[in-house]
Amino acid sequence: MKMKRIISLAALCALLLAGCAGPSEAATLPPGWEDSWVRVGDLLGVEPMDGFAPNENKDAMGAAGLYYATWTAGEGETVDNGEDGEATLYDAQIYVLIQQFRESAKAQAELDSWQDRERENYAAGEAADETHAGQEFTILPLLEGKEGNPYARGAAAFALRESGWAICVELLCRDGFEGDPQALLGEFLDGLHYNGG
């Protein structure tokens, strides 16, 4: 849940500083992009994926180059999230978090930090490199959620674009979800399209 807390804090800052909104619907699509794709910032176009519906899409702090979006599977269940209030949990949820940095070294440091946070919240398997839609990712299996984590397992992917974009994609599942997180994550990554960078 730490990644979700980070996203929640970023969204709160955005409300105070710059407002929350997804990419402008009136904005011109990059060449070759389809209207049915969900845009995340100006970098990503995401193809629809069977079984998952778009949920949130926010410029968490657009001026700072931070954007996120989520997709969900199954019916939402509202639960008490302790000090954070209520949260809606789904059978499975995909989180996409991207942030642009002026220097690739800073983007890589952020990616390393994101991976460390995953290991704080999950017993993780061995990371492996995979290529999806022409982009290299480090895939981290999330084998078991640690105490207090409402998601039982999942998988996360981390990538660095040459233009300084750090990309994190998580697919998290609750107990009872029958899909294979790594296979579904790979399918989702195969449907990503990049606007330069």
Side-chain angles (χ1 to χ4, degrees), residues 85-169:
E86 292 184 337
T88 303
L89 301 177
Y90 296 86
D91 295 343
Q93 187 152 354
I94 297 170
Y95 297 87
V96 173
L97 179 63
I98 62 173
Q99 186 167 6
Q100 188 172 34
F101 295 86
R102 292 179 186 226
E103 299 172 21
S104 291
K106 289 185 178 179
Q108 185 60 59
E110 189 65 15
L111 283 177
D112 294 342
S113 173
W114 290 345
Q115 289 186 51
D116 289 344
R117 284 194 288 269
E118 295 288 12
R119 289 183 174 96
E120 290 173 8
N121 290 303
Y122 292 90
E126 187 173 339
D129 293 333
E130 296 180 10
T131 301
H132 294 274
Q135 172 65 50
E136 284 189 27
F137 286 90
T138 297
I139 307 296
L140 184 65
L142 306 174
L143 305 177
E144 183 179 359
K146 294 187 177 175
E147 186 175 350
N149 190 332
Y151 287 104
R153 58 195 169 91
F158 306 91
L160 178 66
R161 296 291 287 180
E162 289 179 9
S163 57
W165 283 98
I167 303 168
C168 174
V169 182

Side-chain angles (χ1 to χ4, degrees), residues 26-109:
T28 303
L29 292 174
W33 281 28
E34 298 183 13
D35 289 334
S36 64
W37 298 353
V38 172
R39 292 179 60 193
V40 184
D42 290 327
L43 176 69
L44 292 179
V46 183
E47 292 182 18
M49 186 166 116
D50 287 344
F52 285 83
N55 186 25
E56 295 179 287
N57 188 354
K58 302 199 180 207
D59 293 356
M61 290 181 68
L66 177 65
Y67 307 88
Y68 80 97
T70 64
W71 287 256
T72 59
E75 295 295 321
E77 177 187 358
T78 302
V79 298
D80 184 358
N81 200 17
E83 62 191 43
D84 295 329
E86 292 184 337
T88 303
L89 301 177
Y90 296 86
D91 295 343
Q93 187 152 354
I94 297 170
Y95 297 87
V96 173
L97 179 63
I98 62 173
Q99 186 167 6
Q100 188 172 34
F101 295 86
R102 292 179 186 226
E103 299 172 21
S104 291
K106 289 185 178 179
Q108 185 60 59

